[in-house]
Amino acid sequence: MYTFSNKLKISAIIFMVLGALGIGYGFLTTPNNVDEVKEMMQHENTHENHSAAENTSSIELKGEAHDSASANESTKDAHFTHALHALQNRPYTAVFIAMFFFFMIALGTLAFYAIQYASQAGWSIVLFRVMEGITAYLLPGSLFILAFLILMAANGHHYFVWMNPDFYNVSSEHYDEILVSKSWWLNIPFWMIRTFIYLLGWNFYRYYSRKNSLAQDTASDLSAYKKNFKASVFFLIFFIVTESMMSWDWLMSLTPHWQSTLFGWYVFATMFVSGITVIAMVTIYLRAKGFLPKVNDSHLHDLAKFMFGFSIFWTYLWFSQFMLIWYANMPEETAYFQPRLLGPYQLLFIGMLISNFVFPLLVLMNSDYKRIPWFIIATGIIILLGHYVDVFVIISPATVGNHWHVGIPEISSILFFLGVFIYVVFSALAKKSLEINKNPFLKESEHYHY
């Protein structure tokens, strides 16, 4: 039975402590007023700050066309105000990106786990305890997400800009007909109700499937397995709907004038390949420690094939979403890509294509490399870094605009949630035996060689 090593446990705690300190520093060092923003911009001495925060919000405020002198002054004030909101959003954004990144790994793993049950796959049975350990993070990850979204619902109209009541006030100069037309969906009560449904449904399936999986180990029949099979079928139907809705609510609504019919699938591809990559990395780690003796190179080869295949799938969706929006040539659509493809996020936007497509394509194309543990680990690290950048590029342009950085808040947020992830996952792995028993396809998995 696996034991959570003190070295790994202490490392996780150190990550959490350092991360928490850095997150606190990020919040404490944000400017409190416009005067502090002006002072910061003078110190930076950069010409671009005259147009700071133009991309902070996807909603262009109306009423800025006045006489030139007064217009310039009011425009500068508006820009400084936007810059203040962007800089104040930065620590929240750093936390949200890291929070969502590790949450989506657990959720992607849960979807992969459910697919194995629903498809009655035989090869992956010996990996079930690894998947169940990774999905243990789903509950704490959900609580983090829920707390963040409740905070935003209470006072987040500079973050989720559609929450600003001015956009729905006919007498306001900021009145927005597009947001009014979407208010049946984008309103705080319904938004929070949907969030509760998503999180409750995903966590209930994780609890129920884990319970039945453990019960099957000592069962005298296949009733527990059959329960998991049926539950997995219904969960996947629920998941494919709620995952898309979640991506609209939590991510796409940051840019509420923009919409994409492929966005839910795009986010799914990101979380799915990330989840499979972590399954492979945790499996290799446990195998190196002398556990999971029934896992062989063919299992690793299949995991690496999934990493390769879904990297291609992610790229297909990345290009398809871009191509359709570029072809439509509608301002409200192409505005999403302007800061990413042509603006301050261009390097990250193109860079993630290299790490998420070109690199896996070149290194995982060779079948022999898919059986080399250290090679899979190295490739997995690059893929995970690339998909962190992917989430960063999805969220940051709408929340911090031109004021993005990779500094203490961002690194600290990664460390904190990485520490929590390691602690929760490996604590869960240490609670029960990593060996599966009495699964009807266990023999097929044990003798899986090719």
Side-chain angles (χ1 to χ4, degrees), residues 18 36 42-43 49 110 132 149 156 169 252 277 290 292 299 324 371 399 414:
L18 291 177
E36 292 184 16
Q42 289 173 355
H43 284 311
N49 288 322
L110 186 68
E132 291 166 6
L149 296 182
N169 185 353
M252 194 161 70
T277 300
L292 302 177
H299 295 106
L324 292 174
R371 297 176 182 270
T399 58
I414 294 172

Side-chain angles (χ1 to χ4, degrees), residues 41 44 49 52-53 56 82-83 86-87 90 345 400-405:
M41 289 183 173
E44 289 173 2
N49 288 322
T56 300
H82 285 315
L87 292 169
R90 184 188 167 197
Y345 293 86
V400 300
N402 296 341
H403 298 278
W404 74 271
H405 298 282

Side-chain angles (χ1 to χ4, degrees), residues 143 149 151 180 196 217 264 276 399 415-416 432:
L143 295 176
L149 296 182
L151 179 63
V180 170
F196 276 106
D217 285 352
I276 294 169
T399 58
L415 287 177
F416 177 79
K432 298 291 181 179

Side-chain angles (χ1 to χ4, degrees), residues 105 109 112 123 127 130-131 134 272-288 292 295-297 299-308 364 370 372-381 383-384 426:
I105 289 173
T109 301
F112 187 73
W123 72 275
L127 302 173
V130 175
M131 299 183 206
I134 295 170
F272 205 61
V273 71
S274 299
I276 294 169
T277 300
V278 172
I279 293 170
M281 295 172 74
V282 173
T283 299
I284 291 170
Y285 171 81
L286 293 173
R287 198 168 164 231
L292 302 177
V295 174
N296 57 53
D297 289 346
H299 295 106
L300 297 182
H301 186 271
D302 272 17
L303 288 172
K305 282 197 294 187
F306 275 110
M307 291 164 59
F308 172 78
L364 291 177
K370 297 188 186 77
I372 303 174
W374 70 264
F375 200 87
I376 297 174
I377 291 287
T379 305
I381 291 172
I383 290 174
L384 290 177
F426 286 92

